[in-house]
Amino acid sequence: KAGVTQTPRYLIKTRGQQVTLSCSPISGHRSVSWYQQTPGQGLQFLFEYFSETQRNKGNFPGRFSGRQFSNSRSEMNVSTLELGDSALYLCASSRGTSGTDTQYFGPGTRLTVL
Amino acid sequence: SQKIEQNSEALNIQEGKTATLTCNYTNYSPAYLQWYRQDPGRGPVFLLLIRENEKEKRKERLKVTFDTTLKQSLFHITASQPADSATYLCALCTYNNNDMRFGAGTRLTVKP
């Protein structure tokens, strides 16, 4: 079974630009969660999608948005980039039917904002 | 506000010893607690899950305890090996929420 894939793996943008990151979950998984990881704040939950609906949202500004397609693939968008948005963005997929479901993480997208 | 604290940023131990990592939480009532391992440049990998009504869980050289009174979980690696060197993260999840809250992680180094 193929794992979670994320594209691109690395991205360099400048302040004010916008960016779209993509995540393909494990086949059969309907839940995709997004996280931001920085050395100072650790892993922080952004949002979770299940069957094309946002089920949960973390404490991030509206510049961070996402969506999920009918094939469970998900995209995350950050508009008006700030220097502080530089981070590793991880997505994780799971069956999404229970809190005990294992989350499988992708390798992440390293975003650098200059 | 909710807080999840892992005992230390870094832990160094000698090969063969038992590594013990701590995860404490406040203002939270998790139904499940999970432990993950993360290697540099890679996403976290699931290791163990323990439910609120379970006191202890084992898997090979790994053992997790969960004390909801103390609001604490302990993660043990027995007979540690240099290959166990990584960052270990605890994550909490409530019954109905599907957002997991992670601790900052403890970087374990096992010296040969």
Side-chain angles (χ1 to χ4, degrees):
Chain A
K1 216 186 221 184
V4 178
T5 57
Q6 291 186 246
T7 56
R9 291 293 312 278
Y10 302 92
L11 210 44
I12 299 175
K13 293 283 187 180
T14 55
R15 273 183 302 173
Q17 286 188 307
Q18 77 158 18
V19 68
T20 299
L21 312 181
S22 182
C23 173
S24 292
I26 289 172
S27 176
H29 284 187
R30 291 159 66 190
S31 168
V32 173
S33 297
W34 287 89
Y35 297 86
Q36 181 195 67
Q37 188 173 37
T38 58
Q41 299 294 321
L43 251 177
Q44 291 190 282
F45 173 76
L46 280 154
F47 29 67
E48 186 246 356
Y49 285 87
F50 180 82
S51 292
E52 301 179 68
T53 302
Q54 187 181 86
R55 237 180 3 182
N56 261 295
K57 192 176 188 310
N59 239 4
F60 277 80
R63 301 186 295 108
F64 292 81
S65 63
R67 58 178 175 166
Q68 188 179 35
F69 302 95
S70 58
N71 61 358
S72 292
R73 191 177 69 83
S74 177
E75 284 182 351
M76 191 194 106
N77 187 277
V78 188
S79 62
T80 321
L81 283 166
E82 299 177 0
L83 294 179
D85 297 334
S86 295
L88 180 67
Y89 289 88
L90 291 158
C91 82
S93 78
S94 72
R95 290 182 309 162
T97 54
S98 164
T100 60
D101 289 338
T102 299
Q103 293 213 0
Y104 295 86
F105 283 82
T109 294
R110 172 76 60 188
L111 172 65
T112 303
V113 182
L114 303 175
Chain B
S1 62
Q2 294 171 344
K3 228 179 190 180
I4 302 169
E5 289 179 328
Q6 294 193 236
N7 57 326
S8 53
E9 248 187 65
L11 181 65
N12 298 316
I13 63 167
Q14 211 62 39
E15 183 177 6
K17 301 289 187 190
T18 296
T20 299
L21 286 65
T22 306
C23 178
N24 295 297
Y25 58 92
T26 53
N27 297 325
Y28 207 97
S29 296
Y32 314 105
L33 193 147
Q34 304 188 24
W35 283 88
Y36 286 78
R37 169 187 172 136
Q38 187 174 23
D39 291 286
R42 309 187 78 156
V45 174
F46 171 79
L47 294 173
L48 276 170
L49 177 148
I50 186 164
R51 294 173 170 77
E52 62 173 346
N53 60 353
E54 295 176 318
K55 296 286 186 206
E56 184 179 296
K57 207 80 171 280
R58 289 175 188 259
K59 180 182 172 184
E60 296 168 357
R61 294 183 297 111
L62 309 179
K63 184 177 91 170
V64 173
T65 62
F66 192 9
D67 189 324
T68 54
T69 304
L70 289 178
K71 295 186 183 293
Q72 181 182 78
S73 173
L74 298 179
F75 176 79
H76 307 273
I77 306 175
T78 57
S80 59
Q81 305 163 1
D84 295 327
S85 298
T87 295
Y88 291 86
L89 303 155
C90 69
L92 278 60
C93 187
T94 55
Y95 274 117
N96 298 319
N97 265 349
N98 289 283
D99 62 308
M100 287 173 56
R101 306 287 170 163
F102 282 82
T106 296
R107 190 173 65 252
L108 173 69
T109 302
V110 181
K111 298 181 192 283

